[in-house]
Amino acid sequence: MTDTVSQFEHVISICRDLYAKKLKDYGPSWRIMRPQSITDQIFIKANRIRNLEIKGESKVDEDIYSELIGIVNYGIIGLIQLNLGYSDGKDISAEKALELYDKYMDETKNLMYAKNHDYDEAWRSMRTSSYTDLILMKICRTKEIEDNNGKTLVSEGIDANYMDMINYSLFGLIKLEYGE
């Protein structure tokens, strides 16, 4: 588990660093986005990853690795928006946005550690393309829940689906960074 923790911390720091840099460029302009729009943004990224996996080539200068980082960061943004609600503009500081990133990343990471204990790191034996398919499935589930105004009968909510999407993306980043 020691390698897992250090590997997770490493890829999370890469994601957080990009998030912090984008906050300097744009501020928390994403505060205007409703959760449904964030789900669609994650869909665009996951769908592009799947297309890259199938086609094996890219005509745009963003690879699978950078798209996975995007899913992680939009997933965290989604968790923030679910909890704060959307606004008409940038109503929080960059510092507050980083504080919230860390809060929701810690919650997400702790969920992964608990599941990782129970599943005994089964993710390491999975193909990275399976992470893509699982993310796309979670997006479909999230859209259904959103279409039902966030209500479920027996299933986890939107937040749990965002956390799973983040963790599958982190698994993919670890596998791309450290190899199979």
Side-chain angles (χ1 to χ4, degrees), residues 40 51 138 145 152 158 170:
D40 285 343
N51 285 330
K138 293 290 183 175
I145 296 168
T152 61
I158 294 169
L170 292 170

Side-chain angles (χ1 to χ4, degrees), residues 95-111:
E95 294 77 22
K96 181 66 175 175
L98 273 171
E99 177 186 313
L100 290 167
Y101 185 96
D102 293 338
K103 174 185 188 288
Y104 291 108
M105 182 57 82
D106 283 345
E107 288 178 17
T108 301
K109 183 174 54 176
N110 289 333
L111 173 67

Side-chain angles (χ1 to χ4, degrees), residues 133-163:
D133 292 345
L134 288 165
I135 292 166
L136 286 165
M137 178 195 64
K138 293 290 183 175
I139 291 166
C140 288
R141 288 180 177 182
T142 300
K143 286 182 176 190
E144 286 291 324
I145 296 168
E146 289 168 346
D147 290 346
N148 291 326
N149 297 315
K151 293 178 178 46
T152 61
L153 297 175
V154 296
S155 303
E156 298 175 318
I158 294 169
D159 57 344
N161 282 286
Y162 278 151
M163 287 181 176

Side-chain angles (χ1 to χ4, degrees), residues 42-52 132 136 139:
I42 295 170
F43 168 74
I44 289 168
K45 294 189 168 303
N47 195 59
R48 182 164 186 274
I49 291 169
R50 188 178 199 166
N51 285 330
L52 291 173
T132 307
L136 286 165
I139 291 166

Side-chain angles (χ1 to χ4, degrees), residues 21-129:
K21 287 176 180 171
K22 289 200 176 213
L23 278 173
K24 287 186 178 170
D25 287 348
Y26 309 125
S29 56
W30 45 262
R31 285 288 295 131
I32 202 163
M33 294 178 78
R34 292 171 284 185
Q36 298 89 334
S37 298
I38 295 165
T39 302
D40 285 343
Q41 187 65 33
I42 295 170
F43 168 74
I44 289 168
K45 294 189 168 303
N47 195 59
R48 182 164 186 274
I49 291 169
R50 188 178 199 166
N51 285 330
L52 291 173
E53 290 170 345
I54 292 168
K55 294 176 184 174
E57 70 172 311
S58 172
K59 294 191 176 190
V60 178
D61 190 28
E62 285 191 352
D63 58 4
I64 291 172
Y65 194 87
S66 61
E67 295 292 9
L68 288 169
I69 292 170
I71 292 172
V72 169
N73 288 344
Y74 273 111
I76 295 294
I77 289 168
L79 291 169
I80 294 169
Q81 295 297 81
L82 282 174
N83 286 281
L84 294 184
Y86 64 91
S87 79
D88 291 331
K90 299 184 283 184
D91 63 342
I92 60 173
S93 66
E95 294 77 22
K96 181 66 175 175
L98 273 171
E99 177 186 313
L100 290 167
Y101 185 96
D102 293 338
K103 174 185 188 288
Y104 291 108
M105 182 57 82
D106 283 345
E107 288 178 17
T108 301
K109 183 174 54 176
N110 289 333
L111 173 67
M112 184 284 303
Y113 290 147
K115 286 184 175 184
N116 200 40
H117 173 270
D118 291 353
Y119 289 97
D120 200 26
E121 297 206 343
W123 64 272
R124 290 194 183 272
S125 299
M126 294 172 62
R127 297 174 186 97
T128 54
S129 59

